[in-house]
Amino acid sequence: MEAHLRLSLASYPVISFGTGSLVRLPGPSITQPNVYPFNVISYDQMYSELSAKDARLYRANGLLTMLERNRGVKFAPERWQDWPVGKPRLEKYKADKGSRGSEGGVVDIVITCEERCWDAVVDNLLERGSPLNRPVHVINVDIKDNHEEGLIGGSAILDLADSLNAAAREEREKAGEAGWMDGTGDARMGFDQRVPEILAEWQERWPNLAALWTLAWF
């Protein structure tokens, strides 16, 4: 969610997802997590419920602080596998940070922060069968799940987004806009070919963040 926040503050269109079956948050013990369904329970509802359960515990372990941030970013956690790609995202998501520009329900880049999430996304794209025949770059930036690493990772992902955006702008200026919005055309082809090089240059700037990449299809 830190990356979602950083990208949205930089005026990038952003949608964020989880890939698990349920939202699992720390509970009073390792065997008693707080479990919520995706796409239904809002971050605000989670915050209120956990505050009522044990505000002292969940403030001390940072969970309420995290939920305060999350509810300021988007309404509720969404699950990648449930996302109807290509379906317009309108009123329900209008208040989410980064919603402007994502109304069409498609993206050009997917960035995950754990290898298992990258695997889940790539597997799901294969299962979907590419109904839109639209290219999408799936990149993993491996980030440890703690506050400090999250801040570093958010900065690194923003740097990567800036590099990718600069290349996309250069290709459109060189080859024109034709087909770009549909994921086709000379400019898009030029951009797709440059992504591995851009990622390699980014990796040199962030050598402590392991990265994976593949070109997949919506």
Side-chain angles (χ1 to χ4, degrees):
M1 194 62 73
E2 180 64 28
H4 183 139
L5 178 60
R6 295 291 296 274
L7 290 167
S8 66
L9 291 175
S11 299
Y12 285 108
V14 190
I15 313 172
S16 59
F17 300 93
T19 58
S21 57
L22 294 164
V23 179
R24 291 179 171 84
L25 303 176
S29 72
I30 195 169
T31 59
Q32 296 175 288
N34 291 287
V35 180
Y36 300 96
F38 279 103
N39 313 315
V40 177
I41 305 298
S42 71
Y43 284 117
D44 200 52
Q45 288 173 284
M46 294 179 195
Y47 181 90
S48 298
E49 181 178 308
L50 295 179
S51 294
K53 280 185 176 180
D54 193 335
R56 184 175 180 180
L57 169 64
Y58 295 121
R59 180 64 66 185
N61 69 6
L63 189 52
L64 290 182
T65 300
M66 182 192 76
L67 290 172
E68 281 178 345
R69 178 202 63 190
N70 290 1
R71 67 180 181 172
V73 174
K74 62 182 297 178
F75 174 73
E78 299 175 73
R79 185 171 181 262
W80 167 272
Q81 292 88 338
D82 300 330
W83 177 34
V85 178
K87 181 179 179 180
R89 296 171 60 86
L90 301 174
E91 290 301 320
K92 182 178 178 181
Y93 307 99
K94 196 172 182 179
D96 290 359
K97 290 188 182 300
S99 62
R100 185 175 182 182
S102 66
E103 297 91 344
V106 292
V107 297
D108 298 312
I109 307 290
V110 174
I111 299 177
T112 61
C113 298
E114 291 182 71
E115 188 171 342
R116 65 177 181 84
C117 296
W118 186 84
D119 289 337
V121 167
V122 172
D123 288 346
N124 178 254
L125 287 170
L126 289 172
E127 291 170 3
R128 290 177 185 246
S130 311
L132 303 183
N133 196 32
R134 181 188 177 100
V136 57
H137 296 270
V138 187
I139 300 169
N140 185 68
V141 178
D142 213 35
I143 300 172
K144 293 179 181 178
D145 191 15
N146 61 61
H147 180 67
E148 181 179 351
E149 295 295 330
L151 292 175
I152 294 170
S155 297
I157 288 172
L158 178 58
D159 179 37
L160 177 57
D162 287 340
S163 297
L164 292 167
N165 193 48
R169 183 171 56 250
E170 290 168 4
E171 292 300 321
R172 292 198 304 273
E173 289 173 352
K174 181 170 64 176
E177 299 279 349
W180 181 269
M181 297 302 293
D182 298 320
T184 62
D186 291 342
R188 180 57 194 258
M189 185 180 299
F191 170 75
D192 290 341
Q193 292 172 348
R194 290 178 61 181
V195 170
E197 179 184 344
I198 293 167
L199 187 58
E201 292 172 352
W202 173 89
Q203 188 75 85
E204 291 180 0
R205 298 195 297 274
W206 301 90
N208 295 325
L209 295 176
L212 293 170
W213 164 83
T214 191
L215 179 63
W217 301 85
F218 277 132

